[in-house]
């Protein structure tokens, strides 16, 4: 909390992103405000944002309290209830979304650099994320004009049909691992439906959401005030203010399972707002003995170490058939030793720092647990030397069984639990023995076996002979404690729509009951 900075921000009249010259020798720090009703407003306090690769402060953003968030919600409510947005045609909503896609594509390099600076993820991955975000806006730009209801056959002399309408004011609460991409996954269908939104990025990684709002303000004058609002701040305060609000019709959330529980409780205790949840996972990546060893070990590493393991669908349980367990582990180890950890802006870097010091501590605590209960094969430490100021952790491999904590709890870092299994039945049993059900993968040259396993797995996304590809055309979401609802695809669109049944009596005769 920096009240001096807050005072300084309040003194300035314009601009979402402000730059202030710092004393000689220090870095220039970008200063931001909330985006509310198409203007930039201060909050009660501020928070500093750090570069996880160096620990240096890179920005100051608003730290909203409930009153700050209430202003954004009021703007979104007013825009939904009385603003021009509800009369904007589907065609024009689509056009606005297409402009958003073009903005992300046109500013891909600067947005990707900002994402890498803020999250620590390798620049090459941030570039993919920006492409993915733009593709998502394009998909839902096309979707806006395809939203439609049905006509139903009912027995009476009547016309019965359904209208699809926007669910209303939506709070979009997103995590720090794919900040702009996951915001786009929600903004696309929400705006295509005609909702108005309050977007709250994760407190650690708000920079690309704010930069996106700035681009929208500058380049899409047709977007009415109050349709897109961005507020920043802590989850239990700013996020909770959205969840508790009586003026919000729905919360679309991506984040941890415990936070998901709190959000459901908050929705139940307020106005029973609708909730969709994309939560955590402990996904099994299953390798049968006939899988191609080279492709399989590549897939095991990609499945768990991409984005430093900070991936909801990370294949953090690698299940390997006993016959190939030894050569599999040897090859996995050799490949892991070649992972380049370091400056996320270098194009050769394959693993950057973890997102924050707090998250680093959490991952190191799990590694300590693993050292007690499992066999450490490699890694298992914070990287020192030239990287000691950042939050770097060596890619870490454990051999364990499915009862260990490191095999049951989501670590969300570069830590993999490798577990041997006997046969197909054993693999399915272990894979499904988890409270989560987000994703799973199975590798084998025997397609009959693959399909049997696909059917037996309790997970929302199942890959065969690959892991992690993800497409806006296809639904994303979890079974069990990995969530409620689906994102992306036609199904993801439905999450932001209400269905109104309309029954039109075509008979002029009285009902004749009384
Ligand atoms: P988190 O739950 O701590 O935070 C996510 C968001 O929720 C943040 O914006 C945070 O400020 C907010 N928040 C926290 N407490 C809140 C509360 N009480 N009320 C309202 N909002 C609150 O999660 P995280 O650490 O940022 O992200 C990691 C988690 O996200 C992992 O569990 C991961 O699996 C999950 N995730 C899931 C998916 C998916 O598609 N299923 C995708 C990415 C991440």
């Amino acid at each position: 909390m920096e009240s001096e900075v807050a005072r300084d921000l309040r003194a300035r009249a314009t601009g979402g992103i402000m730059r202030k010259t710092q004393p000689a020798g220090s870095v220039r720090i970008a200063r931001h405000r909330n985006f509310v009703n198409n203007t930039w407003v201060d909050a009660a306090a501020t928070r500093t944002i750090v570069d996880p690769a160096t620990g240096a402060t890179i920005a100051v953003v608003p730290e909203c309290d409930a009153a700050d968030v209430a202003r954004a919600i009021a703007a979104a409510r007013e825009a939904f209830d009385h603003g021009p947005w509800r009369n904007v045609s589907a065609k024009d909503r689509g056009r606005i979304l297409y402009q958003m896609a073009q903005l992300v594509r046109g500013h891909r390099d600067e947005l990707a650099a900002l994402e890498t600076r803020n999250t620590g993820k390798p620049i090459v991955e941030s570039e993919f994320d920006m492409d993915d975000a733009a593709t998502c806006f394009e998909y839902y730009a096309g979707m806006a004009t395809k939203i439609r209801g049905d006509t139903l056959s009912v027995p009476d002399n009547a016309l019965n049909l359904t209208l699809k309408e926007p669910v209303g004011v939506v709070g979009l609460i997103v995590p720090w691992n794919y900040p702009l991409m996951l915001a786009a996954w929600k903004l696309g269908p929400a705006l295509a439906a005609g909702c108005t939104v309050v977007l709250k990025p994760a407190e650690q990684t708000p920079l690309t959401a704010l930069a996106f709002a700035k681009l929208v303000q500058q380049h899409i004058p047709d977007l009415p005030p109050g349709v897109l609002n961005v507020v920043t701040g802590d989850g239990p305060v700013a996020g909770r203010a959205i969840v508790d609000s009586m003026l919000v019709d729905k919360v679309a959330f991506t984040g941890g399972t415990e936070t998901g529980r709190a959000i459901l409780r908050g929705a139940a205790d307020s106005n029973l707002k609708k909730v969709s949840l994309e939560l955590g996972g402990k996904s099994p990546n299953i390798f049968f003995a006939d899988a191609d060893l080279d492709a399989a070990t590549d897939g095991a590493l990609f499945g768990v170490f991409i984005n430093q393991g900070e991936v909801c669908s990370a294949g953090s349980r690698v299940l390997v058939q006993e016959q190939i367990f030894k050569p599999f582990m040897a090859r996995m180890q050799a490949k892991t030793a070649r992972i380049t950890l370091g400056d996320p802006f270098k194009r050769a870097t394959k693993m950057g720092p973890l997102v924050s010091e707090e998250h680093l501590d959490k991952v190191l605590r799990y590694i300590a647990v693993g050292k007690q209960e499992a066999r450490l094969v490699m890694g298992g430490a914070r990287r020192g030397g030239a990287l000691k100021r950042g939050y770097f952790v060596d890619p870490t491999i454990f051999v364990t069984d499915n009862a260990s904590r490191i095999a049951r709890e989501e670590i969300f870092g570069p830590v993999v639990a490798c577990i041997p299994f006997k046969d197909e039945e054993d693999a399915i049993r272990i894979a499904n023995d988890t409270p989560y059900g987000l994703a799973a993968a199975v590798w084998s040259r025997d397609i009959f076996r693959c399909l049997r396993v696909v059917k037996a797995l309790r997970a929302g996304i199942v890959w065969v002979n690959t892991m992690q590809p993800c497409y806006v055309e296809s639904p994303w979401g979890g079974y069990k404690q990995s969530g409620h609802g689906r994102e992306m695809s036609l199904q993801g669109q439905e999450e932001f729509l209400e269905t109104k049944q309309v029954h039109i009596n075509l008979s002029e005769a009285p009902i004749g009951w009384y």
Side-chain angles (χ1 to χ4, degrees):
M1 309 288 160
E2 295 190 0
S3 56
E4 194 189 318
V5 177
R7 275 198 299 279
D8 175 48
L9 289 179
R10 271 191 289 278
R12 291 160 181 259
T14 57
I17 302 173
M18 295 175 282
R19 294 189 186 280
K20 179 182 176 188
T21 307
Q22 301 294 302
S26 63
V27 289
R28 284 160 72 88
I29 296 171
R31 291 157 196 281
H32 301 265
R33 291 166 161 170
N34 291 320
F35 186 60
V36 176
N37 232 356
N38 277 12
T39 59
W40 298 95
V41 296
D42 296 325
T46 59
R47 157 190 296 266
T48 55
I49 300 297
V50 298
D51 173 351
T54 63
T57 297
I58 52 171
V60 176
V61 301
E63 180 65 48
C64 290
D65 62 17
D68 296 317
V69 174
R71 273 189 283 280
I73 294 171
R77 189 77 257 168
E78 175 66 20
F80 186 80
D81 291 341
H82 307 294
W85 188 234
R86 60 191 309 135
N87 296 318
V88 170
S89 67
K91 178 168 150 280
D92 285 336
R93 290 202 304 275
R95 190 177 45 75
I96 285 170
L97 279 165
Y98 189 64
Q99 286 175 296
M100 290 181 177
Q102 286 176 309
L103 282 177
V104 175
R105 288 212 191 283
H107 295 265
R108 174 198 196 236
D109 292 349
E110 67 203 67
L111 288 170
L114 195 58
E115 200 77 295
T116 285
R117 180 69 71 206
N118 196 174
T119 62
K121 69 170 69 194
I123 186 70
V124 178
E125 293 189 35
S126 289
E127 289 167 358
F128 275 117
D129 293 358
M130 296 310 120
D131 293 344
D132 191 305
T135 302
C136 180
F137 282 123
E138 281 159 3
Y139 179 84
Y140 285 105
M143 184 74 77
T145 49
K146 317 298 181 290
I147 294 169
R148 54 169 182 59
D150 294 313
T151 54
L152 294 312
S153 291
V154 293
D156 291 321
N157 182 15
L159 183 60
N160 188 288
L161 48 90
T162 56
L163 301 180
K164 291 289 180 178
E165 298 183 342
V167 76
V169 174
V170 188
L172 312 178
I173 303 179
V174 295
W176 45 256
N177 59 338
Y178 290 92
L180 190 61
M181 189 182 103
L182 292 179
W185 286 17
K186 298 186 190 322
L187 285 169
L191 297 177
C195 297
T196 60
V197 306
V198 176
L199 168 65
K200 197 204 81 64
E203 51 272 34
Q204 303 86 346
T205 58
L207 301 185
T208 47
L210 291 165
F212 174 75
K214 183 82 180 165
L215 289 170
V216 169
Q217 187 200 32
Q218 286 171 341
H219 299 283
I220 314 185
D222 294 1
L223 188 72
V227 174
L228 168 67
N229 305 278
V230 182
V231 293
T232 61
D234 200 28
V237 177
R240 184 159 180 193
I242 294 174
V243 174
D244 288 349
S245 171
M246 300 297 281
L247 302 179
V248 171
D249 299 298
K250 174 190 165 83
V251 167
F253 171 74
T254 299
T257 293
E258 285 315 310
T259 314
R261 269 187 236 286
I263 287 174
L264 276 183
R265 277 193 291 268
D269 290 343
S270 55
N271 59 344
L272 267 183
K273 57 179 62 63
K274 293 175 172 49
V275 175
S276 51
L277 301 172
E278 296 288 340
L279 307 177
K282 195 75 193 179
S283 299
N285 199 359
I286 309 167
F287 297 90
F288 285 95
D290 66 342
D292 178 278
L293 206 55
D294 202 36
T297 44
D298 246 22
L301 259 54
F302 189 79
V304 68
F305 290 147
I306 191 86
N307 206 44
Q308 301 75 239
E310 296 168 331
V311 180
C312 52
S313 56
S316 51
R317 289 185 297 148
V318 164
L319 278 48
V320 184
Q321 200 161 14
E322 281 170 354
Q323 297 95 297
I324 57 161
F325 195 78
K326 258 185 143 175
F328 193 100
M329 294 307 296
R331 218 173 272 217
M332 223 175 128
Q333 240 178 297
K335 283 180 197 263
T336 300
R338 295 203 292 269
I339 293 175
T340 334
L341 200 75
D343 179 355
F345 280 95
K346 288 197 174 144
R347 302 197 76 79
T349 295
K350 290 282 190 285
M351 195 179 275
L354 298 181
V355 73
S356 66
E357 192 166 13
E358 188 190 0
H359 189 54
L360 168 80
D361 290 343
K362 175 187 156 186
V363 171
L364 291 176
R365 278 198 301 277
Y366 269 113
I367 289 175
V369 168
K371 286 177 178 169
Q372 297 294 317
E373 64 178 7
R375 178 163 69 83
L376 178 68
V377 174
M378 71 183 296
R382 181 176 183 174
R383 181 67 67 91
L387 300 180
K388 70 171 186 289
R389 284 186 310 136
Y391 313 133
F392 294 86
V393 169
D394 286 324
T396 298
I397 303 177
F398 284 105
V399 172
T400 183
D401 59 34
N402 203 48
S404 62
R405 274 186 68 196
I406 58 163
R408 300 201 74 76
E409 297 175 23
E410 187 184 43
I411 300 174
F412 219 58
V415 181
V416 60
C418 298
I419 304 169
F421 69 85
K422 274 200 219 34
D423 53 19
E424 194 175 310
E425 197 186 330
D426 199 28
I428 293 167
R429 181 188 57 77
I430 297 170
N432 283 337
D433 179 14
T434 168
Y436 295 110
L438 184 58
V442 53
W443 301 66
S444 165
R445 288 200 178 96
D446 179 346
I447 191 67
F448 297 101
R449 170 157 56 201
C450 287
L451 294 178
R452 283 194 302 273
V453 175
V454 165
K455 285 189 75 178
L457 290 170
R458 300 261 302 140
I461 305 121
V462 182
W463 291 286
V464 176
N465 292 326
T466 186
M467 193 174 208
Q468 299 306 1
C470 164
Y471 305 96
V472 69
E473 297 84 353
S474 200
W476 182 271
Y479 284 26
K480 300 199 270 182
Q481 294 184 33
S482 288
H484 288 186
R486 292 294 179 271
E487 286 204 304
M488 303 199 287
S489 77
L490 297 169
Q491 213 177 326
Q493 183 63 73
E494 285 294 320
E495 302 280 345
F496 294 90
L497 293 167
E498 289 279 18
T499 301
K500 180 180 282 174
Q501 186 208 142
V502 183
H503 182 82
I504 305 155
N505 175 25
L506 299 179
S507 161
E508 294 187 41
I511 295 173
W513 188 262
Y514 300 107

